[in-house]
Amino acid sequence: MSNLFARREQSRSVERHNSPRHPWLAGPYIFWAAGFIVLPLVLVFYYGLSGPDGTFTLANLAAIAQPIFRNALGQSLLISFGTTAICLVLAYPLAYILSKNRSRSGAFIIILIVLPMWINFLLRILAVQMLIANNGIINMILGHLGLAQMRLINTRAAIFLGTAYDYFPFMVLPIYNAMCKIDHDIIEAAHDLGANALTTFRRIIVPLSLPGVISGIIMVFIPSISEFAIADILGGSRILLFGNVIEQEFNMSNDWHTGSGLSLILMVFIIISMIVMHRVDKDGEGQIIW
Amino acid sequence: MVEKRSVIEKVYIGVIFVLLYVPLGVLAVWSFNNSISRSVWGGFTLHWYADLFRNAEIMSALATTAKLTVSAALIATLLGTLACIGMAAMGKKLQLVLTTTTNIPMLNADIVTGIALMLLFMRFMRLGFSSMLIAHVTLAVPYVILNVMPKLKTTNHAVYEAALDLGATPFYAFIHITLPEIFPGILSGFLMAFTLSLDDFVITYFTKGPGINTISTMIYQQMRRGINPQMYALSTLLFVIILIILLAVNRVSARQDDPRR
């Protein structure tokens, strides 16, 4: 009898486990994570907070006050806020239209919108470059129509176009997911209580889709604030973004300390946006469809 | 209640589609252009595609990419799946610490992850294929865990226990009971690791050795050098490959959602 009892206790203790109880199987990954996730970040902190002689200093962080770095950060913030705004303005109506009518074709359309996300982003930028280059397709068409050529490439507008084109799907998806989760009964209840379409949209749809909007903003904001390749190709190295100056510190000046210091400053912006995301998006709307 | 889309809505969807796909379409069409100039249509040709396969630089980048992507995805899948099984058997606290650490590469900016790894490699080893491989595995494992963990948590534990009660060894029960159940998660984790590794530019850029290129870093170099219509051909080919992978993934996840499971 006591034996049976013991057995029952034992089975309760393993109740939630459906695989061998071997925590050590995570061992290789724990070493991997310690060596290749934690240690590299420790190195960034070490270099960022020390001078060439190895003593503690905040000079690498203070480097942000230098005009070249300050301007680059300003440009990056401008680009990332601008890109986020463009994407939001274009994506919100689209997500609303698609979520309102969740038919088979709607699901197919959302897949088609997400599809470019899985194409190498350099190829997407190559495609944009082809259109807007001085001897590109747009200018060719303008020429055939007898219109004046436009100087599109190597401008800030070109960078905006590239980043917005690149990150647009990241904005659509979370908003669409959040809108799909809105209970239709709530919308009907609003109608029954006399709300017109505009009021329903303003008081129901907008607040309930807010978590998706926040994740979308984060998912566009973080990559675009650290962008350097798009600026290089579409901006013709004329406009230096924060990512460009960080990259140059490492690859051209070989100044690991300043480069790491600037990386730490970039991380501050990322951490701030992550805290915002965590506060608002608890259900993980930001997850990518797979 | 399904409302019909209004004309304005249809037009809006149409405009977005044009904006998204025209650049890619133009790129694909121009890969068949028998002229090196972008502003002249010189007739249909396949010779950029033929040149592509004779270009040693492109072929070597393609080979590096294939080797890198396949090995990174395999290692990441193995490491991630084992990590999930181990984590499921851990205490809550340790699990939380490990999950949080795992989230770092997913949430951090790629440039910071790339630079951090570069610092590590420059300090303790040299840059080359192995540094790229380590970087890609590090980038991919979190996504494998993201795919496998939920599957592992929702498997029916009673079946596994029944197997043990019937005298199966834990290993045998794992292979025959747990593994088939979590396999769709492992597969989508693998495919996701594969796509991420294939697509990555920033982390590769910082962790690659001199003289070694993946497709991404090679396209970057070529684009800074000038126009090369072979790149358009390459892009079109890669687009088709990605499309095929995505269709495969779609079928896998459709099977996962199948109620007959």
Side-chain angles (χ1 to χ4, degrees):
Chain A
M1 184 68 188
S2 72
N3 203 2
L4 194 70
F5 190 67
R7 201 179 149 73
R8 215 216 222 137
E9 278 296 281
Q10 191 196 356
S11 86
R12 187 178 298 160
S13 78
V14 292
E15 193 171 29
R16 284 266 147 233
H17 298 283
N18 31 31
S19 53
R21 289 189 51 68
H22 294 306
W24 56 265
L25 283 173
Y29 177 63
I30 292 175
F31 276 105
W32 192 282
F36 300 119
I37 296 176
V38 179
L39 185 59
L41 279 180
V42 171
L43 280 177
V44 173
F45 275 94
Y46 168 76
Y47 281 106
L49 296 174
S50 72
D53 51 357
T55 54
F56 175 79
T57 174
L58 290 174
N60 304 314
L61 300 179
I64 191 65
Q66 290 172 28
I68 175 170
F69 300 137
R70 205 180 51 211
N71 289 343
L73 182 61
Q75 291 281 3
S76 271
L77 285 172
L78 185 70
I79 293 284
S80 48
F81 276 114
T83 305
T84 311
I86 296 169
C87 288
L88 183 60
V89 167
L90 288 176
Y92 199 86
L94 184 71
Y96 178 62
I97 294 169
L98 292 178
S99 70
K100 219 170 52 162
N101 182 352
R102 258 173 290 152
S103 53
R104 234 162 203 288
S105 73
F108 185 64
I109 290 172
I110 205 80
I111 288 174
L112 284 182
I113 284 167
V114 179
L115 185 64
M117 210 157 82
W118 298 105
I119 301 165
N120 194 309
F121 92 96
L122 282 165
L123 298 182
R124 279 176 281 161
I125 296 306
L126 181 68
V128 173
Q129 187 208 32
M130 224 180 121
L131 286 179
I132 66 171
N134 286 333
N135 57 352
I137 308 297
I138 290 180
N139 274 331
M140 180 191 84
I141 293 170
L142 288 178
H144 279 298
L145 295 175
L147 297 169
Q149 309 256 304
M150 288 203 286
R151 215 179 69 80
L152 295 164
I153 202 149
N154 300 347
T155 60
R156 190 184 287 135
I159 302 182
F160 270 128
L161 187 66
T163 46
Y165 181 59
D166 227 20
Y167 302 132
F168 180 71
F170 291 105
M171 185 65 89
V172 179
L173 205 55
I175 300 178
Y176 173 78
N177 285 344
M179 281 181 175
C180 284
K181 276 194 199 159
I182 297 175
D183 192 342
H184 221 93
D185 294 347
I186 300 176
I187 297 169
E188 299 222 338
H191 285 308
D192 290 349
L193 292 170
N196 60 22
L198 187 69
T199 312
T200 313
F201 182 74
R202 202 165 50 88
R203 301 288 296 271
I204 310 276
I205 312 272
V206 171
L208 287 178
S209 64
L210 206 58
V213 172
I214 299 286
S215 334
I217 290 175
I218 301 294
M219 288 177 72
V220 174
F221 187 78
I222 292 181
S224 54
I225 198 175
S226 56
E227 186 51 59
F228 72 96
I230 295 178
D232 229 18
I233 291 160
L234 298 179
S237 319
R238 273 186 212 186
I239 296 161
L240 281 184
L241 298 189
F242 203 50
N244 297 96
V245 293
I246 293 179
E247 189 244 340
Q248 286 176 4
E249 282 309 308
F250 284 98
N251 285 349
M252 283 157 86
S253 324
N254 257 321
D255 185 348
W256 293 9
H257 296 278
T258 311
S260 300
L262 298 176
S263 304
L264 289 179
I265 288 175
L266 182 58
M267 275 169 72
V268 170
F269 282 93
I270 294 164
I271 289 168
I272 291 172
S273 34
M274 261 154 49
I275 291 170
V276 173
M277 171 149 99
H278 200 76
R279 283 262 170 89
V280 187
D281 177 25
K282 292 202 169 70
D283 313 323
E285 313 283 359
Q287 282 180 16
I288 294 161
I289 290 186
W290 261 87
Chain B
M1 63 174 226
V2 174
E3 305 156 40
K4 266 267 169 269
R5 288 198 188 102
S6 74
V7 179
I8 303 170
E9 290 173 350
K10 278 182 183 159
V11 169
Y12 190 75
I13 295 175
V15 168
I16 296 282
F17 263 82
V18 168
L19 290 176
L20 278 179
Y21 279 95
V22 158
L24 295 170
V26 167
L27 194 76
V29 170
W30 250 247
S31 71
F32 300 107
N33 182 9
N34 192 8
S35 157
I36 191 143
S37 164
R38 275 185 292 225
S39 42
V40 179
W41 178 255
F44 180 88
T45 180
L46 284 173
H47 79 243
W48 303 121
Y49 286 87
D51 287 356
L52 193 65
F53 292 97
R54 282 196 293 268
N55 184 326
E57 199 190 350
I58 294 178
M59 282 301 112
S60 111
L62 213 54
T64 308
T65 306
K67 219 162 62 173
L68 182 68
T69 301
V70 171
S71 26
L74 284 175
I75 296 171
T77 307
L78 185 67
L79 210 57
T81 307
L82 287 178
C84 284
I85 299 166
M87 278 159 77
M90 271 176 194
K92 277 264 174 300
K93 258 210 179 110
L94 198 57
Q95 207 176 343
L96 186 69
V97 170
L98 208 52
T99 316
T100 309
T101 314
T102 303
N103 281 338
I104 294 174
M106 290 199 286
L107 298 171
N108 209 343
D110 280 357
I111 189 170
V112 179
T113 309
I115 281 166
L117 283 163
M118 182 184 72
L119 287 176
L120 179 82
F121 296 140
M122 302 255 271
R123 184 105 205 224
F124 299 110
M125 57 187 275
R126 54 188 195 85
L127 297 177
F129 182 80
S130 46
S131 62
M132 285 193 323
L133 181 60
I134 291 172
H136 278 225
V137 172
T138 308
L139 182 72
V141 176
Y143 292 89
V144 175
I145 293 178
L146 191 73
N147 276 283
V148 177
M149 207 57 181
K151 278 264 169 285
L152 198 61
K153 284 199 169 144
T154 54
T155 46
N156 188 348
H157 53 270
V159 185
Y160 175 77
E161 277 171 32
L164 292 189
D165 287 349
L166 292 170
T169 63
F171 180 73
Y172 185 91
F174 173 74
I175 295 292
H176 290 267
I177 306 293
T178 313
L179 196 60
E181 276 213 69
I182 63 172
F183 188 72
I186 296 176
L187 192 60
S188 50
F190 172 81
L191 287 168
M192 202 160 173
F194 186 89
T195 328
L196 273 168
S197 168
L198 189 67
D199 195 45
D200 177 72
F201 163 71
V202 178
I203 287 166
T204 319
Y205 179 75
F206 284 106
T207 55
K208 81 187 186 74
I212 186 167
N213 264 325
T214 65
I215 290 294
S216 293
T217 59
M218 189 205 56
I219 296 172
Y220 184 63
Q221 281 181 1
Q222 293 269 350
M223 280 170 84
R224 302 182 77 185
R225 239 183 267 162
I227 316 161
N228 179 356
Q230 289 174 24
M231 287 298 113
Y232 306 155
L234 182 67
S235 315
T236 309
L237 279 183
L238 288 178
F239 181 45
V240 173
I241 292 171
I242 289 286
L243 204 63
I244 292 168
I245 294 176
L246 278 171
L247 287 176
V249 172
N250 218 357
R251 290 200 60 165
V252 170
S253 39
R255 209 172 301 154
Q256 276 177 50
D257 297 338
D258 198 329
R260 280 173 303 176
R261 190 169 66 89

